Amino acid sequence: SIEFWTGPEGSSQDFNIKSTVVEVKSQLGEKPSSVRISSADQLCPELPELYLHIFVLGKSDKSSVDSFNLSSIIENIRKKLLESLPSSIERFNDLLLCIGYVENNEYQNKNFILLNEKTFEVREGFPRICTKDVPIGIDQVRYNLNISSCDEFLCKLKWEADNGE
């Protein structure tokens, strides 16, 4: 998946896998109402398939079961890369630098648990603002997407469905 992580390199979406793009968002809180969409092209790619994957996180104590923090996630990814694909560790570290990640003890003090995750197929009828709809003279569009209005677009990513999950 490191090979397909294109967001840090300027892509409008986080992951680009052949003809599919995946935008990943996280939302803090048990009942998230919205996620922030940072540009008009973020949910309007030129590729045929787009999915919006949302992780719903809750604040947690470090001692809680299944608790994690940013540092622990990055450490786990690095360990897995070293075990299975050591040639990718340099690319992963470079991508982290691209997004401005610098190791900091402060990250270890903010712990979370995964409450839920949802995937939406972004297709015709999905609530979004596309670049083609933005009037000339508007330089940048950012908006909040109400998640509860997207239930009819809930789905599983193809590889989730193929694994029987």
Side-chain angles (χ1 to χ4, degrees):
S1 58
I2 300 305
E3 179 182 337
F4 304 112
W5 187 24
T6 57
E9 298 173 311
S11 174
S12 295
Q13 295 80 31
D14 294 308
F15 293 90
N16 184 332
I17 306 143
K18 297 182 182 178
S19 64
T20 302
V21 290
V22 179
E23 176 61 26
V24 179
K25 299 287 186 184
S26 61
Q27 178 66 46
L28 189 59
E30 213 168 294
K31 295 185 179 186
S33 58
S34 64
V35 292
R36 182 76 150 165
I37 307 303
S38 29
S39 68
D41 55 348
Q42 195 164 50
L43 294 183
C44 299
E46 294 185 23
L47 294 174
E49 295 180 63
L50 169 63
Y51 296 92
L52 174 62
H53 191 83
I54 300 173
F55 291 96
V56 182
L57 307 176
K59 289 184 180 181
S60 176
D61 183 273
K62 188 174 186 170
S63 62
S64 296
V65 177
D66 298 327
S67 176
F68 61 88
N69 58 50
L70 184 57
S71 296
S72 67
I73 290 172
I74 289 172
E75 182 181 323
N76 287 338
I77 292 171
R78 285 178 173 150
K79 282 181 184 177
K80 287 180 182 181
L81 287 173
L82 286 172
E83 291 170 4
S84 61
L85 197 57
S87 60
S88 292
I89 192 78
E90 187 174 335
R91 174 160 169 74
F92 180 62
N93 289 333
D94 288 346
L95 291 170
L96 288 174
L97 285 174
C98 284
I99 61 169
Y101 176 81
V102 178
E103 293 186 31
N104 184 330
N105 289 337
E106 185 66 28
Y107 295 138
Q108 295 175 10
N109 298 326
K110 295 180 181 179
N111 295 280
F112 305 94
I113 56 171
L114 179 63
L115 298 174
N116 193 8
E117 55 185 304
K118 295 179 178 185
T119 303
F120 300 92
E121 182 181 12
V122 180
R123 54 182 158 75
E124 191 66 37
F126 191 88
R128 59 186 168 164
I129 298 172
C130 292
T131 306
K132 65 179 176 50
D133 302 323
V134 178
I136 294 174
I138 303 294
D139 289 332
Q140 189 172 19
V141 174
R142 288 188 177 136
Y143 60 98
N144 292 330
L145 175 66
N146 184 322
I147 301 305
S148 61
S149 66
C150 301
D151 285 348
E152 69 180 275
F153 301 96
L154 277 169
C155 68
K156 289 198 177 272
L157 291 168
K158 285 183 180 178
W159 52 84
E160 290 177 323
D162 292 344
N163 290 328
E165 293 179 5

